[in-house]
Amino acid sequence: VVAHWKLGGVLDSIPSSHNDPIFGVLHAYMDKIFEMWYRIQKPTIEAYPESGAAMGHNRYAYQVPLFPVQRHNNSFTSSLQLGYDYDDMDADGHTADWEEIYTDRTGYC
């Protein structure tokens, strides 16, 4: 949601943000970042708290306002399981420049 507000324009209004041409690019990039994290961390569903998280963020809580409704535990799905892959990403979530990017952000690799 913050990305929508920061980019402004039509994206600033969540109900109409999908009308902005950058919407698809933004969400495709977020999907790729999630996939990189998913492949590097290899989380199990147990990594998502069953209880104790902020309201609406526990493992079996419904994601709002997604339709059809789904629970958070269903989000732990690789792009490979959904039928698509990224040409520049290996099975461990690394891209050709991942080490350079990671080192620049954290100072170590």
Side-chain angles (χ1 to χ4, degrees):
V1 172
V2 173
H4 286 259
W5 295 333
K6 292 285 186 184
L7 290 170
V10 177
L11 278 178
D12 196 19
S13 172
I14 301 300
S16 64
S17 62
H18 63 279
N19 293 322
D20 193 313
I22 198 73
F23 179 88
V25 176
L26 172 66
H27 284 267
Y29 188 61
M30 293 306 298
D31 286 346
K32 186 174 183 180
I33 291 171
F34 178 82
E35 185 64 21
M36 290 175 76
W37 173 84
Y38 189 86
R39 291 185 191 187
I40 290 169
Q41 298 298 320
K42 298 176 179 34
T44 62
I45 191 61
E46 288 75 27
Y48 214 105
E50 243 183 279
S51 62
M55 186 171 64
H57 293 283
N58 290 308
R59 185 183 310 170
Y60 299 108
Y62 288 105
Q63 294 180 15
V64 178
L66 300 179
F67 293 99
V69 293
Q70 62 176 343
R71 296 177 190 265
H72 288 286
N73 62 303
N74 296 325
S75 295
F76 278 73
T77 305
S78 169
S79 66
L80 300 172
Q81 294 170 292
L82 297 172
Y84 68 96
D85 195 8
Y86 295 93
D87 292 339
D88 65 336
M89 190 183 306
D90 67 18
D92 292 322
H94 302 140
T95 58
D97 58 355
W98 81 272
E99 189 172 305
E100 177 184 332
I101 293 169
Y102 184 76
T103 303
D104 287 348
R105 300 277 190 275
T106 62
Y108 63 91
C109 186

